[in-house]
């Protein structure tokens, strides 16, 4: 450490006529200790390499081996790490390019000791280096270029970035970067697609922007925003992660750094095109520069008001239709600028079995959510499936929630198209994670992730395996919330908070807070042991006895009823909005509503065998005998086939819309949907909002198609609205006061209705 401190802060460098001379003088005395002294300072390198390894695994085909250049690779640490992550034997050739001779010497010694024959050290400038085997013929021949804290040290960086763009294979090549940065004062530049470029954590405060930029310039390290901006202008952003390094003084000194994966925009522009729906002026998609896409396998609508510009690629000019790119990567700024100029809708991310549609994360209706409200879905898909009568080719629209019911529908019937809609982007992040895990994980790991809700090495699994299947926004969210599956709180916090502390996935989000409070309350009232017996007893009679004799009186205590009778508490802990709260109160007391909900459940359904909703409520995890269908081995296998089928002829099953239902419906064709399941969504609405949405449903739901919904009221006021817009409303279930027959395993709602389009 003394050697590092002397060479970095005390040793005079003198004057040098070249950058190479300055670098040699600076690193000569510390090259041998470089790796051991940079671990805390140069964060994000392992994350970047894991992301690159995951991409290489996903993109590998036909047995062709990739070629990799580690630009500014220094001592070869990156290459040694990549051997652990991907295996150097899987590369055709690996080149380490660096201008500093002392560091290159360390790299040569390292590679010689390892006996790697396909690794070469090139001690040349980043702009003019020559690859021995590809001299004069290197254009488009490289599959991967990485830069770990080297872009910020290259003085004339524009031509270097241009050269990297020329080296990369236009279809399969990509670039990985980890480096320091500072943002501009105004945030992400206007031409960038903020959704993918990474608005989460991007902006730096004034002190951070000014201090670190000038501090690093003393060592000829340049953090001006133009470097990252040009990188993101030149390439299509595929993944982005903005972080802060706190290693000097934790939580006080914050050095911004980023991890970024990009690829040539030509890979986006030449990707297969996917036809989507008509241009819509609805705000959610207009703010993202796109319209809400509709079914990709329906013919396009040709609109005379949206002529195709002559400068569009030929595959776009072949039709004046509204189209979008569908590929395994995101649109980059160069393609984006063309697309936005014509309001062309596009798919933000597609991975065969699902498509994540674009959204603007800074828009107020999305930015208000920092986490999901529902970590699990609180509606019973078993009853839905009895009514839905699903067939191949059905096109459904559902509210995403935690995605459990959409997965249940797809597990029951293949060949569906399911539009999953939620205004909260975090709900779609959760569903997207489940889809990515279905596609890339084995069953045991999948069970630990979503059955037990805990995976201690989640960060590594996310980077090394799941990242290649996730959209950039979803990856950013989960990378910054790895604690959801791997809690890292101190023993003191555990001691102080007790059962209020976070334990696993199901104790996160608003619903997780409800589960934590329920555990605390059950202990305070002395019924915790009884609730734990409830989820393991196989006897329905014993379960009813536990409920009746030990639990019920506490649940219906005055304190509990008063809390449930508080609209603020109901929203914070149960996700019940004020309009819905008013509806259920208009038909009776809160205490009666709770009795009608819970008494039938614990007398008629087993929390140990079939009622996984209440099992989770008390156990805070599932059991192999009591879990949603997607968590069973059979359900996992069926869904893995659905989302993992790479056949080009197979259309995506899941289409994830981060938008309101109204905006999503606005981008669909007349009669596009066969069925819609909107949960208790209409309970939230004012009469004006309800009328607008039902009118949109009447247009989009085909004749003889239907809408299925639940309500907290036995007779919801908006039945008349459906009838006004041409639906026949059928009452399927109404829960009568004091009845001991539950409507379903949750029994939370007072009614179930079906509205069929005439």
């Amino acid at each position: 450490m003394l050697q590092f401190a002397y060479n970095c802060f005390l040793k005079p460098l003198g004057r040098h006529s070249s950058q190479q001379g300055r670098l040699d003088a600076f690193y000569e005395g510390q090259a041998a200790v470089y790796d051991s002294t940079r671990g805390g300072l140069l964060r994000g390198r392992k994350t970047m390499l894991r992301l690159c390894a995951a991409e290489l695994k996903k993109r590998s085909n036909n047995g062709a081996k990739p070629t990799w250049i580690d630009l500014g690779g220094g001592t070869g640490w990156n290459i040694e790490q990549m051997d652990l992550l991907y295996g150097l034997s899987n590369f055709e050739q690996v080149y380490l390019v660096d201008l500093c001779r002392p560091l290159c010497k360390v790299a040569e010694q390292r590679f010689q000791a390892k006996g790697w024959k396909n690794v070469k050290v090139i001690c040349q400038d980043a702009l003019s280096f020559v690859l021995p085997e590809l001299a004069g013929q290197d254009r488009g021949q490289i599959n991967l270029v990485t830069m770990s804290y080297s872009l910020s040290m290259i003085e004339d960086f524009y031509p270097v970035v241009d050269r990297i763009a020329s080296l990369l294979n236009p279809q399969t090549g990509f670039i990985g970067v980890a480096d320091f940065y500072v943002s501009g004062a105004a945030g992400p530049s206007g031409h960038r697609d903020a959704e993918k470029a990474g608005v989460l954590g991007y902006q730096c405060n004034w002190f951070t922007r000014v201090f670190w930029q000038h501090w690093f310039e003393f060592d000829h390290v340049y953090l001006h925003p133009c470097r990252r901006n040009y990188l993101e202008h030149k390439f299509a952003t595929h993944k982005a992660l903005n972080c802060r390094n706190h290693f000097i003084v934790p939580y006080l000194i914050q050095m911004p750094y980023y991890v970024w994966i990009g690829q040539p925009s030509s890979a986006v522009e030449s990707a297969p095109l996917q036809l989507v729906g008509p241009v819509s002026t609805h705000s959610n998609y207009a703010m993202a520069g796109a319209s809400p896409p509709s079914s990709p396998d329906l013919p396009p609508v040709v609109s005379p008001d949206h002529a195709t510009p002559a400068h569009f690629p030929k595959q776009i000019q072949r039709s004046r239709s509204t189209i979008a790119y569908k590929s395994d990567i995101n649109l980059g700024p160069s393609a984006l600028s063309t697309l936005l100029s014509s309001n062309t809708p596009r798919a933000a991310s597609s991975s065969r079995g699902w498509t994540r549609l674009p959204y603007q994360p800074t828009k107020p209706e999305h930015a208000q959510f920092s986490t999901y409200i529902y970590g699990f879905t609180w509606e019973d898909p078993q009853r839905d499936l009895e009514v839905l009568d699903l067939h191949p080719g059905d096109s459904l629209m559902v509210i995403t929630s935690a995605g459990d019911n959409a997965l249940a529908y797809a597990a029951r019937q293949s060949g569906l198209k399911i539009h999953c809609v939620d205004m909260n982007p975090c709900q779609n992040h959760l569903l997207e994670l489940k889809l990515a895990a279905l596609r890339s994980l084995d069953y045991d790991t999948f069970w630990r992730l979503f059955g037990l809700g805990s995976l201690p090495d989640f960060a590594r699994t996310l980077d090394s395996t799941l990242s290649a299947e996730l959209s950039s926004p979803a990856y950013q969210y989960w990378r910054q919330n790895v604690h959801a599956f791997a809690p890292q709180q101190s023993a003191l916090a555990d001691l102080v908070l007790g059962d209020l502390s976070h334990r696993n996935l199901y104790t996160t989000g608003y619903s997780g807070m409800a589960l934590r409070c329920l555990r605390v309350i059950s202990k305070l009232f002395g019924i915790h042991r009884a609730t734990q017996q409830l989820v393991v007893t196989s006897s329905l009679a014993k379960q009813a006895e536990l409920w009746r004799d030990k639990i019920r009186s506490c649940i219906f205590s005055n304190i509990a009823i008063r809390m449930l009778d508080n609209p603020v508490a109901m929203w914070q802990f149960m996700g019940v909005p004020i309009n819905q709260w008013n509806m259920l109160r208009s038909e009776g007391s809160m205490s009666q509503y709770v009795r009608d909900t819970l008494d039938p459940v614990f007398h008629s359904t087993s929390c140990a065998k079939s009622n996984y909703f209440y099992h989770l409520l008390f156990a805070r995890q599932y059991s192999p005998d009591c879990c949603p269908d997607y968590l069973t081995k059979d359900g996992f296998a069926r869904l893995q086939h659905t989302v993992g089928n790479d056949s080009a002829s197979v259309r995506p099953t899941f289409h994830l819309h981060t938008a309101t239902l109204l905006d999503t419906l606005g981008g669909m064709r007349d009669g596009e949907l066969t069925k819609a399941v909107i949960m208790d969504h209409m309970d939230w609405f004012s009469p004006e909002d309800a009328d607008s949405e039902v009118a949109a449903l009447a247009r989009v739901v085909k004749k003889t198609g239907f809408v299925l919904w639940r309500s907290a009221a036995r007779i919801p006021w908006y039945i008349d609205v459906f009838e006004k817009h041409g639906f026949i409303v059928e009452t399927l279930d109404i829960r009568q006061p004091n009845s001991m027959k539950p409507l379903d395993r949750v029994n939370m709602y007072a009614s179930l209705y079906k509205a069929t389009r005439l």
Side-chain angles (χ1 to χ4, degrees), residues 93 192 198 237 479 507 537 580 636 647 659 666 679 689 694:
Q93 194 69 50
R192 288 182 8 190
T237 297
R479 196 60 179 79
T507 60
T537 181
Q580 187 175 54
F636 174 82
S647 172
M679 297 182 174
D689 292 335
V694 174

Side-chain angles (χ1 to χ4, degrees), residues 675-690:
K675 289 147 190 175
V677 183
I678 59 174
M679 297 182 174
D680 61 331
H681 171 71
M682 298 296 294
D683 283 3
W684 297 42
F685 277 2
S686 67
E688 295 78 12
D689 292 335

Side-chain angles (χ1 to χ4, degrees), residues 198-393:
V199 294
L200 288 176
Y202 172 83
Q203 193 64 21
C204 304
N205 60 45
W206 178 86
F207 177 80
T208 299
R209 292 197 309 270
V210 174
F211 176 78
W212 289 118
Q213 186 172 337
H214 289 85
W215 174 270
F216 276 105
E217 279 184 5
F218 286 116
D219 285 331
H220 301 276
V221 177
Y222 307 101
L223 307 190
H224 192 278
C226 63
R227 292 174 180 262
R228 182 173 176 182
N229 285 350
Y230 188 63
L231 190 70
E232 293 176 334
H233 164 75
K234 196 70 177 179
F235 298 96
T237 297
H238 186 50
K239 294 287 188 300
L241 183 64
N242 305 304
C243 304
R244 301 295 183 269
N245 188 338
H246 305 277
F247 93 104
I248 299 176
V249 181
Y251 304 105
L252 181 61
I253 295 180
Q254 303 181 35
M255 297 194 317
Y257 71 94
Y258 69 105
V259 175
W260 182 86
I261 306 294
Q263 69 181 65
S265 299
S266 57
V268 182
E269 293 163 355
S270 63
L273 296 175
Q274 174 176 310
L275 297 178
V276 296
V279 171
S280 166
T281 56
H282 285 298
S283 58
N284 280 59
Y285 289 88
M287 286 293 289
S291 308
S294 70
S295 170
D297 59 1
L298 291 175
V301 172
V302 179
S303 171
D305 298 325
H306 295 88
T308 306
H311 63 271
F312 266 38
K314 289 183 179 179
Q315 61 265 47
I316 299 182
Q317 294 182 34
R318 67 173 180 241
S319 170
R320 295 168 63 202
S321 315
T322 305
I323 58 178
Y325 287 100
K326 175 183 178 292
S327 67
D328 288 339
I329 45 80
N330 295 320
L331 288 175
S334 61
L336 181 70
S337 61
T338 302
L339 292 172
L340 293 188
S341 66
S342 194
N343 276 337
T344 307
R346 64 203 187 281
S349 178
S350 175
S351 192
R352 296 294 192 274
W354 70 93
T355 297
R356 180 77 184 263
L357 284 304
Y359 72 99
Q360 176 52 270
T362 57
K363 214 179 168 194
E365 54 260 46
H366 305 316
Q368 66 177 308
F369 298 106
S370 60
T371 186
Y372 34 83
I373 296 175
Y374 308 104
F376 47 89
T377 301
W378 198 242
E379 283 83 13
D380 191 350
Q382 188 177 76
R383 181 66 179 117
D384 294 352
L385 288 165
E386 293 171 0
V387 179
L388 287 172
D389 188 26
L390 296 173
H391 298 281

Side-chain angles (χ1 to χ4, degrees), residues 53-125:
E55 289 295 329
L56 286 170
K57 292 171 186 175
K58 181 179 181 181
R59 295 164 188 241
S60 61
N61 53 25
N62 301 325
K65 293 185 176 182
T67 299
W68 170 30
I69 298 175
D70 190 22
L71 196 56
T75 63
W77 183 90
N78 278 359
I79 293 173
E80 187 174 69
Q81 294 299 310
M82 184 63 88
D83 183 48
L84 301 175
L85 297 170
Y86 186 71
L88 290 189
S89 61
N90 293 314
F91 287 98
E92 181 69 28
Q93 194 69 50
V94 178
Y95 299 99
L96 184 152
V97 179
D98 202 289
L99 191 59
C100 178
R101 284 168 289 206
L103 295 183
C104 285
K105 184 178 179 180
V106 172
E108 288 173 342
Q109 293 171 349
R110 167 179 263 147
F111 301 155
Q112 187 176 7
K114 293 287 185 179
W116 292 326
K117 303 300 183 183
N118 61 338
V119 182
K120 287 184 171 61
V121 177
I122 301 175
C123 193
Q124 298 176 26
D125 182 80

Side-chain angles (χ1 to χ4, degrees), residues 661-680:
L661 284 183
L662 187 61
D663 282 352
T664 304
L665 290 166
M668 293 180 172
R669 288 183 186 78
D670 295 357
E672 179 172 338
L673 296 176
T674 58
K675 289 147 190 175
V677 183
I678 59 174
M679 297 182 174
D680 61 331

